Amino acid sequence: LTGAGDKALCTGMDVADVASGEAQGETPDSREEVPWLHLTAIQNRCWKPVITAVNGMVVGGGLHFIADSDLIVCSEDATFFDTHVKVGLIAGLEPVGLSRRIPLEAALRMALLGGSERLGAKEALELGLVGEVVPAEQLMPRARELAAKIAQHSPTALARTKQVIWEGLDRGLHDAVHHAWEAISEHSDHPDLREGSLAFVEKRKPRWKPYSD
């Protein structure tokens, strides 16, 4: 996942829509429906691994894609900030997701400062918000290199691995471990398990089955 050009990954909602009242209808009438929780792979229960290549600014709603990404590589000129409170909006959904990746104070600082200070690539790396910082010209080659390495492995094992890790964040440790063990048990009769072992013994590349949940 990356943005077009080199200016921004995503700058969130168009504030002009809020000013004109066009975004009013997106306010949920019920706690059961949160329209802004259907943006990312995680929110849509899609377990394909996601690498995000941050090529510039990430603002407001764009932070959803950072909070829910598996691996994040950013260019040296990347910046992260949240302008919700600056324009009278609640900075709620994005900081809740970010607070599972970075220290609470860092998430609060970004939300409450309203974009008056921006988090740079170096600081983002130090906080663990991103996993790697590279020069801009190396951003996409590095992201594709990581993708190619991931793509060598069993699609089903990858998807189920991602699923138990992310779903574990919504559970207590004891429950998360049991949930992971259930997935491991379910996977025990998958053909990729035997294929991986055979390929290793026979010193060849595995022939994985396509993923299907």
Side-chain angles (χ1 to χ4, degrees):
L1 174 70
T2 194
D6 56 8
K7 184 177 181 181
L9 171 74
C10 179
T11 56
M13 181 192 295
D14 188 341
V15 178
D17 289 345
V18 181
S20 67
E22 291 182 18
Q24 301 278 335
E26 295 172 352
T27 303
D29 296 324
S30 152
R31 294 184 181 183
E32 302 301 317
E33 272 302 318
V34 184
W36 293 102
L37 290 184
H38 300 283
L39 300 175
T40 69
I42 291 296
Q43 292 168 355
N44 287 288
R45 320 309 285 171
C46 172
W47 303 118
K48 178 182 288 189
V50 173
I51 299 168
T52 297
V54 182
N55 54 328
M57 296 185 293
V58 185
V59 190
L63 292 166
H64 280 293
F65 300 106
I66 302 302
D68 289 355
S69 185
D70 300 315
L71 303 182
I72 303 173
V73 184
C74 77
S75 63
E76 292 173 333
D77 60 353
T79 55
F80 307 82
F81 54 106
D82 191 341
T83 55
H84 278 92
V85 297
K86 181 179 181 179
V87 294
L89 296 168
I90 293 176
L93 301 177
E94 298 83 0
V96 168
L98 289 175
S99 65
R100 305 204 303 182
R101 298 190 78 110
I102 60 176
L104 178 61
E105 197 272 349
L108 283 163
R109 179 181 290 259
M110 191 183 300
L112 299 179
L113 289 176
S116 56
E117 293 185 8
R118 301 183 179 189
L119 191 68
K122 180 181 177 182
E123 293 80 12
L125 181 64
E126 291 171 350
L127 286 171
L129 183 62
V130 304
E132 196 170 346
V133 178
V134 298
E137 66 274 11
Q138 296 178 21
L139 179 64
M140 292 311 297
R142 177 56 177 157
R144 292 191 177 103
E145 179 185 9
L146 291 169
K149 290 179 177 179
I150 290 172
Q152 297 176 43
H153 309 309
S154 161
T156 301
L158 286 167
R160 291 177 174 174
T161 295
K162 171 175 175 171
Q163 183 175 1
V164 297
I165 292 172
W166 278 98
E167 290 184 344
L169 295 175
D170 298 324
R171 302 166 181 259
L173 177 59
H174 183 78
D175 187 28
V177 169
H178 276 271
H179 177 59
W181 181 250
E182 288 172 358
I184 292 169
S185 299
E186 181 182 344
H187 188 68
S188 63
D189 62 354
H190 194 280
D192 279 3
L193 195 63
R194 186 166 186 273
E195 171 61 16
S197 302
L198 279 174
F200 178 80
V201 171
E202 296 171 2
K203 298 181 179 179
R204 60 171 173 80
K205 290 186 177 181
R207 294 184 287 269
W208 306 121
K209 295 291 184 183
Y211 170 65
S212 63
D213 52 0

